[in-house]
Amino acid sequence: LHLEEKHLVPETKEINGILMTKMISDNWDKIWNFQAKPDDLLIATYAKAGTTWTQEIVDMIQNDGDVQKCQRANTFDRHPFIEWTLPPPLNSGLDLANKMPSPRTLKTHLPAQLLPPSFWEEHSKIIYVARNAKDCLVSYYHFSRMNKMVPDPGTWEEYIETFKEGKVLWGSWYDHVKGWWDAKDKHRILYLFYEDMKEDPKREIQKILKFLEKEISEEILNKILYHTSFDIMKQNPMANYTTLPTSIMDHSISPFMRKGMPGDWKNHFTVAQNEEFDKDYKKKMSGSTLTFRTEI
Ligand code: A3P
């Protein structure tokens, strides 16, 4: 991968009111017309909700717990990130997806209303992972500090407002989790929660196994649990994003595998910020049956 500084200017441009990188927006027709297949598996999340973790779990399941096979490539090359667009000759998500033999496992952060319609038409299976707003915000804040491909978050105080207004890449967290929550009643979607995965990873992996119609031995299940634990993934260069040059992701500012704990928001929000956030949250989430745990 050879990215130069000039590629890293994180220009943004909206698609239907949703903030995207300019490269994604400029390539939107191709992304919207992406051809999904019935045997595709899509891992869909709001940014920082536990995407990489879920990708590792799914890859381990698909490879029957073979750690070596799961280290064949970086997470981002094993599972094409369909909308992610880079300047040629770098591989964009669409290029990787179109080159990949089936059955494919793909990744997206798109809100449900912007998902290429072929996924719905082909009835591809989708795993959606949601994470509580406050921990997502904290994680996204630190990620935006260390990742030069996304806009600078500004100060913590500024970022809280930016996040609440949904003026971040892939738009409003509130609309994202609600949009996919509604979509799950009409489509083949397994809707999971980061907090549940943390509380009882075995139980949640079993849900994924059932959804994928796959059976494995207790021994392999335990192997998957171990290999996808936070501490082990943090040490895994094929999963922790450390193979990217520091000009793209600077882990000395904040590591990609940062804390991996529900409730870390308490170390960031002041009492006043928290009250303000909760008040706004109630308004934005009113009328939805979707609920979150902010600690376990
Ligand atoms: P924190 O910044 O709160 O630590 P994504 O993959 O969607 O970008 O999400 C990244 C977040 O998931 C980070 O959260 C990261 O530490 C956490 N994460 C990654 N692997 C994990 C694991 N195995 N267990 C728990 N959390 C994990």
Side-chain angles (χ1 to χ4, degrees):
L1 189 84
H2 300 285
L3 262 186
E4 295 167 29
E5 287 293 333
K6 67 172 190 248
H7 295 139
L8 299 176
V9 181
E11 279 185 279
T12 58
K13 192 167 151 190
E14 290 186 357
I15 290 285
N16 296 347
I18 308 292
L19 200 70
M20 295 284 172
T21 65
K22 185 168 179 298
M23 298 251 0
I24 293 177
S25 284
D26 289 345
N27 203 34
W28 187 249
D29 278 354
K30 267 171 80 183
I31 297 166
W32 182 250
N33 290 309
F34 174 72
Q35 187 54 55
K37 298 176 187 173
D39 59 356
D40 284 339
L41 172 67
L42 181 66
I43 298 173
T45 54
Y46 188 73
K48 311 321 289 175
T51 326
T52 314
W53 186 13
T54 310
Q55 286 176 269
E56 199 65 26
I57 292 172
V58 164
D59 202 30
M60 278 291 278
I61 290 175
Q62 290 167 339
N63 287 293
D64 298 304
D66 188 329
V67 173
Q68 240 90 56
K69 276 192 190 156
C70 293
Q71 285 176 344
R72 68 194 177 282
N74 285 297
T75 309
F76 47 84
D77 287 322
R78 283 181 271 159
H79 303 142
F81 182 9
I82 54 169
E83 69 269 26
W84 194 248
T85 311
L86 294 166
L90 297 172
N91 277 320
S92 290
L94 285 185
D95 305 327
L96 288 172
N98 289 329
K99 270 190 257 169
M100 184 166 269
S102 286
R104 307 178 294 186
T105 297
L106 308 168
K107 161 189 167 180
T108 188
H109 287 323
L110 291 171
Q113 76 275 17
L114 290 185
L115 188 73
S118 63
F119 281 101
W120 309 129
E121 290 155 14
E122 300 295 340
H123 305 288
S124 318
K125 283 187 188 178
I126 303 175
I127 299 176
Y128 184 82
V129 185
R131 185 182 194 183
N132 80 77
K134 290 178 202 176
D135 282 327
C136 243
L137 185 159
V138 168
S139 185
Y140 210 168
Y141 169 68
H142 290 295
F143 180 68
S144 305
R145 294 195 307 121
M146 64 83 76
N147 181 357
K148 306 303 172 209
M149 297 201 281
V150 309
D152 185 281
T155 66
W156 165 249
E157 290 76 16
E158 285 165 351
Y159 191 73
I160 297 180
E161 295 312 311
T162 312
F163 183 93
K164 278 153 76 178
E165 289 162 19
K167 293 296 172 206
V168 293
L169 293 182
W170 296 287
S172 154
W173 175 91
Y174 313 84
D175 293 343
H176 206 282
V177 294
K178 284 191 290 184
W180 279 99
W181 184 249
D182 294 340
K184 85 176 186 331
D185 301 329
K186 292 168 252 142
H187 303 283
R188 277 213 293 189
I189 299 174
L190 177 68
Y191 199 106
L192 300 175
F193 294 91
Y194 180 96
E195 295 74 23
D196 294 348
M197 288 167 64
K198 196 77 199 187
E199 179 184 64
D200 191 345
K202 193 169 193 170
R203 178 190 63 207
E204 300 307 304
I205 292 174
Q206 275 161 339
K207 283 185 196 167
I208 297 176
L209 283 164
K210 188 161 173 243
F211 185 66
L212 300 181
E213 297 156 274
K214 177 118 188 173
E215 278 173 40
I216 55 170
S217 68
E218 187 73 15
E219 190 193 336
I220 292 179
L221 180 55
N222 286 331
K223 215 167 145 190
I224 296 177
L225 273 168
Y226 177 77
H227 180 79
T228 60
S229 67
F230 180 78
D231 293 338
I232 297 301
M233 276 185 64
K234 192 177 165 75
Q235 305 303 324
N236 177 359
M238 288 300 132
N240 66 14
Y241 282 86
T242 55
T243 60
L244 292 172
T246 49
S247 58
I248 301 180
M249 286 192 188
D250 189 343
H251 297 263
S252 72
I253 298 176
S254 178
F256 182 90
M257 297 285 170
R258 198 183 56 88
K259 285 232 175 127
M261 269 311 288
D264 184 45
W265 61 271
K266 289 180 194 166
N267 300 315
H268 290 77
F269 284 73
T270 65
V271 172
Q273 283 167 350
N274 188 40
E275 280 173 5
E276 198 53 45
F277 190 90
D278 285 347
K279 222 168 86 192
D280 177 70
Y281 184 94
K282 269 208 188 100
K283 268 190 246 156
K284 292 195 167 111
M285 297 299 281
S286 75
S288 177
T289 54
L290 176 58
T291 56
F292 284 88
R293 291 187 291 169
T294 55
E295 57 192 308
I296 56 167

